[in-house]
Structures are given as structure tokens and as C-alpha cells.
Amino acid sequence: MNQRVPAVPLPGDSSLSFPFPQPPAGGTWQEAAPGVFWLRMPLPFALDHINLWVLRDGAGWTLVDTGLNSEATRELWDRIAANSLGGVPVRRVVVTHFHPDHFGLAGWLTARFGVELWMTESEYVTAQVAFAQLGGFTNHASAALFAKHGLDEARQEAVRTRKHSYRNAISEPPSSFRRLLDGDRLEIDGRSWRVMMGYGHAPEHAALYCEELDALISGDMVLPKISTNVSVWASEPEGDPLELFLRSLKRYATLPEQTLVLPSHGLPFHGLRGRTDALQEHHRLRLDEVLTACQHPISAADIVPLLFRRQLDNHQIAFAMGESIAHLNHLLHQRRVVREADVDGVLRFRKTR
Ligand SMILES: [Zn+2]
């Protein structure tokens, strides 16, 4: 279960500024803020990279996020350890959320450096459950949810048999962790980093804000070029993650306008408020379009071509279905649509009269 983001360009990008036009090359890093070093790791998806952060931490380092469990990422970590860490110990590994591009090498890195994993409890437990492929965290459960929402048989089969399962994308998770709570302050190199929880993309995503540096490690909660994936998954079919996501964006929008945002994908940027406004607007427009389509009963699968106006491969269809259900569930929670199961058992949504 790889919850990657379909690359949708958004309006409002002109209000952003990018202080570093070029990302660091593989195996090298770039200082993005004092003591905050920016790494890039490859991803074998349409979204082909993730940003990771290495923070100077006294006589050591704190790592934030880890990369996918792949040969390529492990080799790049070997190079970083040999060339950049300077023989100084890694003191801890912080992970923003359980998705495999962030959490993938958490087990491998914590074992390698003999350090603890710092994470929120929901993310840690979800990683364990998804790794064990239990309950709603299986390809079969996803395919069954999407079947109820109208996905055709061939695409269901593709979801059931897809290769990039969570278990293959991460190293074995550590058997214990240090818990992060909203508002906690991590002392890193004498500076205080405040944990800012966000919801809707993952169960309990931790972003980190340092007032002294005026820098936000935003994880996947605020991205500069693409919209964060906000999906309903089989473990919580009645959920309204879009409401949670939009509410979370309002929290990040309270940070100072000049905050340097260090996102997991794309380039570091200034213009946080403009970006969160654009994302709010993006979803408002999408919801209006979906609502218009609901003049007649329509399923989540019917909505996919409306939300994603391009060909989707079998890997992307799961995220597209999850996003479509999220938009319909949000309208349902707002009572702007009603839901009915037709004779064929497919759930369809119709605009409230
Ligand atoms: Zn994510």
C-alpha cells in the first residue's frame, strides 16, 4: 500500500518563492537552514523523489524521514554516512508518518545506528499493522472497498495483485518507539522544534516547526506543486479525511508568512499562507464539480475521470479511487449528497434536493 500522490498541478503557485532552485544531487546534501541539511532519495513512481532532512544535533545528528526500502536508497545512505556525517553519531530517527517513502528505512537506520525511532503512536501502530498485512490493510480489502464504489473487475484485479505492497517497501519496523504528541517540543541542537499534528493524509502525521529558524518540516501535509493525497482507505470506509485535512491546513496557515517550508516533495518554499489558501480553493472547486456530477446517481469510480483528467496506471488507480471516495464522503458528511446502493450493489451518490 503505497500512498503516493498523483501529480496534480495547482493554481496559486505564483505566490510562492523558491530559495533553492536546484535540489541536491543523489548522495549529497545542501544546507537549507542553519544546521538543517536537505537530502533527496529516489522513488520508482511517477513522483520520483522524496526529500529527507538531517539536522545537526550537538555532537550528533537527528534524521527526519528515511526513504523507501530499496537498494538505491540504502546505497545513498551508505554514501551519506561515509562522506557527510563526518563520523559523528546519529542520535535518533524521527519519522513524520508511516508511508513507505518516509518510514521505509526506519528499521534499517535505527538498527544501523543503534538509536530510537520517534514517531506518533497512530503512525507507528499503523506501520506495524500494514507491515503485518492485517485487517483493512490488505490489497484484498482495498479491492473490496473499490468494488463497492464501482471499480471495474479488471482494475479490481490489478489492485488485488499489485506489486508495491507496503510489506515490500519497508524494512522490518523497530519493535519499540518514542512517542510524539501534538505540541511536544524536541530539543535539537539547542533549538526547540514543536510537533504540529496534521490529519487526513495519514492517521497522525507529525510536522515539525522551529520558531528560531522560522522553518517548518511539513512532511506531506503542505506540498508546493502537487496536492497531498487525501484518501478513504478500507480500514475506515466511512471516514471524512478531507474534512480533517482542510482543518489541519488552517493550523499550518497560522504560522508566519515568511516561514521556510521544507516539504517532502518538490522544493523548499516561502509563501505558506498562499499555498494553504490555494489548496483550500482547489478542494472547494473539486467538491463543486463532484456535486454537479451528482445531479444523477454516480459512483466514486465514475468520478475518477472528473478528478484526474489523464490516463492512470494500475498503481495510481488506488489513490485516485481513494480520493474520489474522500470527496464523496465529505459531501455525504455535509449532507450535500445522499448515498444509495443500487441493485448491482454499487454505492452511488446523489445531490440532496
Ligand atoms: Zn505520505
Side-chain angles (χ1 to χ4, degrees):
M1 181 180 59
N2 184 285
Q3 307 193 353
R4 281 282 33 99
V5 192
V8 181
L10 292 175
D13 292 333
S14 59
S15 67
L16 308 188
S17 65
F18 300 93
F20 310 101
Q22 286 298 326
T28 68
W29 70 22
Q30 178 169 337
E31 193 166 16
V36 178
F37 298 88
W38 171 23
L39 293 181
R40 272 216 162 167
M41 294 297 186
L43 298 178
F45 309 118
L47 180 60
D48 62 2
H49 70 275
I50 178 169
N51 300 322
L52 313 178
W53 312 98
V54 178
L55 279 57
R56 186 181 292 124
D57 192 357
W61 304 103
T62 283
L63 312 183
V64 181
D65 285 339
T66 70
L68 201 68
N69 179 26
S70 68
E71 192 69 34
T73 312
R74 287 192 300 267
E75 275 174 18
L76 288 170
W77 270 120
D78 285 341
R79 274 164 60 186
I80 293 288
N83 301 332
S84 305
L85 297 183
V88 174
V90 169
R91 298 175 63 162
R92 67 184 139 193
V93 174
V94 178
V95 176
T96 56
H97 65 297
F98 84 100
H99 292 166
D101 43 342
H102 302 258
F103 184 77
L105 286 174
W108 184 77
L109 284 168
T110 52
R112 174 181 184 145
F113 295 115
V115 297
E116 292 170 315
L117 167 69
W118 295 61
M119 204 170 175
T120 69
E121 183 164 29
S122 301
E123 298 293 339
Y124 175 74
V125 171
T126 304
Q128 294 283 8
V129 173
F131 183 73
Q133 298 183 295
L134 299 174
F137 294 87
T138 62
N139 285 345
H140 273 81
S142 297
L145 174 72
F146 299 155
K148 262 173 72 179
H149 283 277
L151 191 66
D152 64 74
E153 183 53 49
R155 294 282 205 167
Q156 287 176 41
E157 184 60 17
V159 170
R160 262 192 295 273
T161 56
R162 65 191 158 167
K163 274 184 287 178
H164 292 293
S165 79
Y166 190 76
R167 193 175 177 88
N168 296 327
I170 69 165
S171 56
E172 185 169 349
S175 57
S176 65
F177 76 116
R178 293 281 293 260
R179 187 176 181 183
L180 296 177
L181 292 168
D182 192 41
D184 276 359
R185 289 178 182 272
L186 290 181
E187 177 96 356
I188 301 173
D189 208 33
R191 298 189 180 100
S192 174
W193 289 77
R194 176 160 54 95
V195 176
M196 291 184 75
M197 231 53 101
Y199 302 92
H201 172 65
E204 196 183 9
H205 177 297
L208 296 170
Y209 176 65
C210 178
E211 197 172 313
E212 188 179 336
L213 295 175
D214 199 5
L216 173 71
I217 294 177
S218 65
D220 280 349
M221 287 302 296
V222 188
L223 300 171
K225 290 275 187 200
I226 55 177
S227 63
T228 297
N229 180 270
V230 176
S231 282
V232 167
W233 299 106
S235 55
E236 197 194 355
E238 300 296 325
D240 184 2
L242 187 52
E243 171 66 21
L244 300 179
F245 181 72
L246 296 175
R247 261 193 246 164
S248 300
L249 284 183
K250 288 183 187 161
R251 291 192 71 197
Y252 299 114
T254 63
L255 293 175
E257 184 53 24
Q258 268 318 297
T259 298
L260 176 65
V261 184
L262 305 172
S264 293
H265 309 285
L267 299 172
F269 67 96
H270 295 287
L272 181 55
R273 180 73 61 80
R275 188 60 189 150
T276 58
D277 285 352
L279 289 164
Q280 296 273 3
E281 178 68 1
H282 166 77
H283 285 293
R284 196 185 63 72
L285 292 172
R286 288 303 172 91
L287 286 166
D288 282 351
E289 286 178 73
V290 171
L291 190 61
T292 302
C294 290
Q295 301 285 359
H296 306 288
I298 193 166
S299 72
D302 297 328
I303 299 287
V304 166
L306 188 71
L307 293 180
F308 302 92
R309 289 166 194 150
R310 64 209 153 84
Q311 203 57 38
L312 297 172
D313 63 29
N314 284 336
H315 178 62
Q316 292 166 323
I317 194 71
F319 310 113
M321 279 299 292
E323 288 235 9
S324 291
I325 302 168
H327 282 80
L328 288 165
N329 273 14
H330 187 61
L331 292 171
L332 186 67
H333 279 254
Q334 292 184 324
R335 300 177 197 279
R336 295 163 80 189
V337 298
V338 291
R339 187 175 64 187
E340 48 202 39
D342 211 340
V343 279
D344 59 0
V346 171
L347 298 173
R348 291 187 176 80
F349 299 73
R350 180 171 51 72
K351 192 175 176 189
T352 311
R353 308 225 182 271

